[in-house]
Amino acid sequence: MKRYYSILLIIAITLALIVQGCKSEPPITISITPETIALPKLGGSQTLTVNANADWLPMPEATWITATKLNATVLKLEAAPNTSLIDRTTTVRCMAGTTVATVGVSQEQLTVRQVDSLALINLYHAVNGGIWKVRWFWATPITQWQGVTVVNNRVVELRMPDNNLSGPLPESMGWLTALQYCDLNGNNLTGEVPAAINQCTQIKYLDLSNNQLSGNFPSINALTQLYMLDISANNFTALPNLNTLADLVYLAFHQNKISGALPANLSSLTKLIYLDGSANSFTGNIPVSWSTLTKVRVFYMYGNALDGNIPAYIPNFIDLEELALDGNNLSDNIPTTLGDLSKLTELWLAQNRLIGAIPLSLVNNPHWSEWKANVCPQQAGYGFTGSDCTGSSPAPAPQRRSAVAAQLKRTLMNNWLLNN
């Protein structure tokens, strides 16, 4: 009997402890003050007070806002400038166990004029505006900033060549969604081109040449109105896919660090007049698919490591004025009708692995005396038969070319100005 009472006592004590334990764990509660906030349209942060009797975790429901737990009672909400051109709303949840408290967050939109102005201000600070040759003055409206053209309250032109811009371009370049003409050549821009450049869908003229930009050039597949692209004399290691840019007339990517095969899909750029991919590290053949580029007037691929034949379709480019394929590993014979191109005035084929006889179409061409030194000298162990190359001097260094390039750039620039 005594044992029975002992067991009952143990059970009673256990139940009492369980009841006492339950009473010592109140339900989880959490609240946020205030329950709604409006963040500034230009971006900023606000702190809120969280009252909870348990540990909690913030969970924003939109990517445009960040929520940070500063300590057990303080929540910080922060957003960048609202350049989306729509008012934004979202909810931030704070969870303590399975208990949730929410705060509603809103942010008004910036006007397109404000977005463009902010993009230019970001650009100024990102690329050392304080040392520019020509600087902007904040006290004046952007319509008076040198190199900036505004039409219908939108920035449509950014013309700042040779102006000491230095450093990486900011992602906010993509906010200039009405930009049509951008010339930043001859500066000291570094780093990678921001991926946001693909948001500038109205752009027609883009010149980033003669800088120190590097990495893979980002996708520009949305820039379908682009007709002039010059990214030459930089340190790019790869080209973007260009086959959506059907209106391209001028394409230059020479003097970079691009290797591998030439992109076959340039065949879709049937309006091309100027094509320069020289002084890179391309290998393999000149693509057969490029036979579609029948409007080309300048074709430069010198100073690579290309092999195979000089394409047989080149003599079909009846408007061709300048052809430079020197300094590669091209082999076999020169196409027999190459010299029949009536507009061809400049020809460089030296320092390849070409053999056979010089075609009569070249020898009988009125320019042969000028071309001879730029065609005849080949790599050691290669060269032409016959006497047409006797006495030819070494080919000139590749720091030359092209009158057509400068003229065409001016023409495209003037066409843009006339149409705007």
Side-chain angles (χ1 to χ4, degrees):
M1 182 65 70
K2 184 183 288 188
R3 183 179 179 185
Y4 174 74
Y5 283 117
S6 298
I7 292 172
L8 288 178
L9 181 60
I10 291 171
I11 292 172
I13 292 172
T14 302
L15 289 173
L17 290 173
I18 291 173
V19 171
Q20 184 178 0
C22 291
K23 289 181 179 178
S24 65
E25 294 181 4
I28 295 174
T29 61
I30 183 171
S31 63
I32 305 175
T33 306
E35 295 182 350
T36 60
I37 65 166
L39 291 175
K41 63 173 69 175
L42 282 170
S45 63
Q46 185 169 330
T47 57
L48 299 87
T49 301
V50 179
N51 292 303
N53 62 356
D55 191 31
W56 54 274
L57 180 70
M59 301 177 64
E61 295 184 355
T63 57
W64 58 266
I65 190 168
T66 58
T68 306
K69 180 181 179 181
L70 297 183
N71 56 47
T73 61
V74 179
L75 170 66
K76 179 182 179 182
L77 299 182
E78 188 171 15
N82 184 1
T83 61
S84 66
L85 302 183
I86 57 171
D87 292 341
R88 302 196 287 202
T89 58
T90 190
T91 299
V92 176
R93 296 181 294 152
C94 287
M95 298 194 66
T98 58
T99 306
V100 181
T102 62
V103 54
V105 185
S106 62
Q107 187 183 34
E108 291 183 0
Q109 63 176 294
L110 291 167
T111 66
V112 288
R113 179 67 172 270
Q114 290 171 326
V115 172
D116 284 359
S117 299
L118 189 58
L120 294 181
I121 292 169
N122 285 356
L123 177 67
Y124 183 90
H125 291 299
V127 292
N128 291 299
I131 64 170
W132 292 359
K133 295 177 183 177
V134 177
R135 284 179 280 176
W136 296 333
F137 298 97
W138 308 124
T140 59
I142 62 172
T143 53
Q144 297 176 25
W145 292 0
Q146 191 163 341
V148 176
T149 300
V150 177
V151 176
N152 296 326
N153 280 326
R154 297 304 310 274
V155 173
V156 297
E157 180 181 348
L158 190 57
R159 188 191 299 269
M160 305 195 72
D162 302 305
N163 199 41
N164 281 346
L165 279 66
S166 62
L169 290 169
E171 283 287 332
S172 52
M173 282 290 292
W175 300 349
L176 298 171
T177 54
L179 189 65
Q180 297 180 34
Y181 186 103
C182 182
D183 183 359
L184 303 179
N185 93 82
N187 286 291
N188 296 301
L189 298 173
T190 58
E192 298 187 359
V193 174
I197 195 75
N198 203 35
Q199 298 170 22
C200 302
T201 55
Q202 302 302 306
I203 202 162
K204 298 177 174 66
Y205 188 109
L206 179 58
D207 190 349
L208 300 176
S209 61
N210 297 288
N211 280 286
Q212 301 173 46
L213 297 165
S214 59
N216 294 352
F217 201 89
S219 172
I220 51 174
N221 64 312
L223 310 189
T224 55
Q225 299 188 50
L226 197 63
Y227 61 67
M228 204 296 298
L229 176 63
D230 192 346
I231 60 172
S232 55
N234 280 288
N235 297 306
F236 293 117
T237 53
L239 288 172
N241 189 343
L242 299 169
N243 67 339
T244 61
L245 312 184
D247 285 337
L248 267 185
V249 173
Y250 186 111
L251 174 60
F253 47 93
H254 75 267
Q255 201 177 330
N256 278 285
K257 297 179 179 179
I258 309 172
S259 58
L262 289 168
N265 60 14
L266 293 192
S267 58
S268 63
L269 310 182
T270 55
K271 295 182 181 180
L272 272 185
I273 292 175
Y274 184 93
L275 175 59
D276 187 354
S278 51
N280 280 288
S281 299
F282 288 112
T283 56
N285 296 352
I286 298 173
V288 174
S289 60
W290 286 11
S291 61
T292 57
L293 308 180
T294 55
K295 294 185 178 180
V296 165
R297 291 166 51 192
V298 175
F299 190 105
Y300 286 172
M301 289 294 157
Y302 65 86
N304 284 288
L306 299 170
D307 54 31
N309 300 344
I310 296 174
Y313 58 73
I314 293 286
N316 297 329
F317 294 176
I318 58 174
D319 292 319
L320 191 64
E321 298 176 34
E322 301 181 16
L323 176 63
L325 301 176
D326 49 305
N328 283 288
N329 297 316
L330 299 172
S331 58
D332 212 342
N333 296 17
I334 298 174
T336 57
T337 57
L338 183 61
D340 292 334
L341 290 169
S342 60
K343 298 180 182 179
L344 189 65
T345 58
E346 305 288 346
L347 178 64
W348 292 273
L349 301 177
Q351 299 305 320
N352 278 290
R353 298 174 179 177
L354 299 172
I355 58 173
I358 297 290
L360 289 177
S361 65
L362 292 185
V363 175
N364 296 331
N365 191 288
H367 295 286
W368 175 244
S369 60
E370 307 161 27
W371 295 346
K372 190 174 181 180
N374 302 324
V375 172
C376 288
Q378 296 295 306
Q379 295 179 26
Y382 300 89
F384 302 105
T385 58
S387 60
D388 298 305
C389 280
T390 55
S392 59
S393 56
Q399 282 84 2
R400 69 257 198 218
R401 353 244 214 262
S402 156
V404 172
Q407 178 185 359
L408 184 56
K409 261 191 174 181
R410 284 194 298 270
T411 300
L412 293 173
M413 178 182 69
N414 291 335
N415 285 347
W416 186 90
L417 292 172
L418 286 172
N419 293 323
N420 290 277

